Amino acid sequence: MTEPPRTKTRALYGWLRTIVVVAIALLASETFLVLGVVKPLRIEGSSMAPTLLGPHVEVVCPHCEHRFAVAADQVPRFRPYVCPDCRQKFNATPTEVTLGERMWVNRAQLAISDVERWDVVVFRCPDRVESLCIKRVLGLPGEHVDFSSGDLLIDGNVHRKSLDEQMRLRQSVHCERQKLLAWKADDERWQFAGNAWRHSGDESRLVYQPAGGTVTDDLGVNQTASRPIYAALDLMVTTKAKLAPRASVRLIAELANGRVIEQSIDRVGESQIVWSLFDRQALLAVDGQVVWLEELPTAWPDQPRLSVVATGDVQLGELSVWRDAYYHTRPVDRWPAAGVTLAADELFVVGDNVAISEDSRTWPSHALPKELLIGVPMGISRESRLDSPAASE
């Protein structure tokens, strides 16, 4: 027998009424508002820069036109700014302070899936549980965590990131442009025009020479903070390469111990190239697919010297250099020589701004109990409100 239309209408109405009642109940819950996905959080500090920015000003370098953010509490008062790209010093009037980025926190996510390595999490700060903190997960329950030469060690072995993880976590160092050419050509066979290096003729080399001679782990946001500065050992080169028939490109990394790592590309047409030296491995990817990978047993002895050798008609557009986070203990006297072993209900978290972040490396317990987790961030917005609860350092 066919169900009468009125019965169907009543059933539909009943379902709708149930959904509305549940929604109202959730919105009426203070716990859901404060800890769930409804109430926004505002970033207060710079420990997660450059991924997440707290209150900051924007500055433009007059020498190379590089635009970068400076933490509001690290604006130089009695000394010039230092450009993180060209390393030139300059005086400038910064923009007005922009409030920290605002985000929603998805608390329900923790109930349906486990936290994974490299996730960003929001939690109650272990030393002041009335406040909220936000960091990135490096160590998972039961693991042994340590660091060596900037690399993350899990259970005594260097943890190597996948290509997707590298692309997600990399930090910008330099983008080649007319105002700042950090790649130096051997001869006139290389010409820079239209934001691209163009080569024609016989084999010739293009060498990366960073301003100051070394890529460091420093960030422009840290203008006045007292912090250690290290040479960034793990570098990445990306470019949109266009090769004519019979043309080729060799990507080369020269190590201080005399070893040379290189790979060649001769694919005709345009391709997106990634040449990565992250986590004691060398990796070449073309159009998002890894075509070659070699793992090395030890860290680089020093920062690799990068170069490109081209033959024939080649164009390298959007030529950029990136670096991995350089993980180290800070301060050293708080870090146990044997590293840290996590319990079955603990995580190890570190801020992306490794040089200044207060986190598992500096906490007395070195671990984050999972019971302090609140949720994972979502829907990040650069428009902030003063009435948003703060996620501090």
Side-chain angles (χ1 to χ4, degrees):
M1 178 181 294
T2 304
E3 185 179 3
R6 182 174 296 179
T7 302
K8 289 184 177 180
T9 301
R10 287 179 178 174
L12 179 60
Y13 176 78
W15 277 107
L16 290 174
R17 181 174 60 183
T18 301
I19 292 172
V20 170
V21 170
V22 171
I24 292 174
L26 287 173
L27 292 174
S29 167
E30 180 64 18
T31 299
F32 185 79
L33 280 170
V34 173
L35 302 180
V37 297
V38 174
K39 196 75 171 179
L41 293 179
R42 175 170 46 84
I43 302 300
E44 277 293 323
S46 54
S47 77
M48 279 299 291
T51 307
L52 297 169
L53 293 175
H56 62 280
V57 300
E58 291 190 356
V59 181
V60 179
C61 174
H63 303 285
C64 69
E65 297 183 355
H66 179 56
R67 181 183 297 272
F68 60 100
V70 176
D73 62 351
Q74 295 187 31
V75 173
R77 303 298 181 188
F78 307 106
R79 61 184 184 188
Y81 291 89
V82 178
C83 176
D85 200 343
C86 71
R87 306 284 185 90
Q88 294 291 317
K89 297 180 179 180
F90 62 93
N91 295 305
T93 301
T95 60
E96 293 183 359
V97 174
T98 299
L99 294 177
E101 294 173 328
R102 187 162 56 98
M103 70 180 72
W104 301 97
V105 176
N106 182 355
R107 187 169 182 246
Q109 184 67 32
L110 297 178
I112 61 177
S113 65
D114 291 332
V115 173
E116 298 181 354
R117 198 181 329 275
W118 310 122
D119 283 350
V120 176
V121 292
V122 179
F123 54 92
R124 295 198 181 279
C125 307
D127 55 346
R128 52 187 195 284
V129 293
E130 72 282 357
S131 301
L132 300 182
C133 288
I134 181 167
K135 307 290 180 184
R136 190 178 299 279
V137 175
L138 268 63
L140 300 175
E143 293 182 338
H144 182 270
V145 180
D146 208 345
F147 305 98
S148 177
S149 300
D151 293 321
L152 170 65
L153 303 184
I154 299 296
D155 297 333
N157 300 310
V158 62
H159 183 81
R160 296 183 169 95
K161 292 183 283 294
S162 67
L163 175 61
D164 288 343
E165 290 170 338
Q166 291 185 28
M167 300 298 282
R168 179 158 58 95
L169 299 173
R170 64 187 183 175
Q171 297 185 6
S172 177
V173 172
H174 171 74
C175 181
E176 193 78 337
R177 57 195 183 277
Q178 193 66 57
K179 284 289 184 177
L180 183 60
L181 299 179
W183 291 82
K184 309 302 179 184
D186 273 356
D187 51 47
E188 68 282 354
R189 280 171 282 193
W190 285 102
Q191 296 292 326
F192 189 83
N195 281 332
W197 278 103
R198 292 174 169 81
H199 176 274
S200 62
D202 296 335
E203 180 177 288
S204 184
R205 184 183 297 260
L206 199 62
V207 179
Y208 178 57
Q209 297 181 3
T214 304
V215 177
T216 73
D217 69 330
D218 199 16
L219 294 171
V221 72
N222 302 330
Q223 287 290 312
T224 62
S226 176
R227 72 279 187 195
I229 296 178
Y230 297 89
L233 300 182
D234 293 1
L235 302 180
M236 172 191 289
V237 177
T238 62
T239 185
K240 185 177 292 184
K242 190 174 183 180
L243 278 63
R246 294 179 295 281
S248 66
V249 168
R250 277 191 293 135
L251 299 160
I252 302 172
E254 300 174 64
L255 306 182
N257 60 7
R259 177 165 185 176
V260 177
I261 304 173
E262 63 178 278
Q263 281 293 297
S264 297
I265 302 167
D266 57 6
R267 180 182 295 187
V268 176
E270 189 172 88
S271 303
Q272 187 65 44
I273 306 300
V274 176
W275 174 238
S276 165
L277 299 165
F278 281 17
D279 306 320
R280 306 184 192 180
Q281 66 182 353
L283 175 154
L284 175 64
V286 180
D287 292 334
Q289 299 296 318
V290 177
V291 298
W292 176 82
L293 185 149
E294 180 181 352
E295 297 180 353
L296 288 90
T298 59
W300 317 128
D302 203 344
Q303 190 167 100
R305 181 174 182 264
L306 305 175
S307 61
V308 177
V309 173
T311 303
D313 294 336
V314 172
Q315 176 179 303
L316 302 179
E318 302 175 11
L319 185 57
S320 300
V321 178
W322 313 77
R323 68 170 178 86
D324 195 8
Y326 189 98
Y327 293 111
H328 56 82
T329 55
R330 187 189 65 82
V332 175
D333 58 5
R334 293 189 194 175
W335 187 253
V340 170
T341 299
L342 301 172
D345 60 348
E346 294 178 334
L347 300 170
F348 192 98
V349 296
V350 174
D352 286 355
N353 192 349
V354 179
I356 71 163
S357 175
E358 296 289 338
D359 46 47
S360 287
R361 298 168 301 153
T362 58
W363 298 334
S365 68
H366 296 298
L368 172 67
K370 292 181 70 175
E371 64 184 19
L372 296 181
L373 290 176
I374 299 299
V376 296
M378 58 182 291
I380 298 169
S381 170
R382 292 188 181 274
E383 295 182 2
S384 301
R385 291 171 41 185
L386 287 172
D387 59 350
S388 301
S392 60
E393 300 310 310

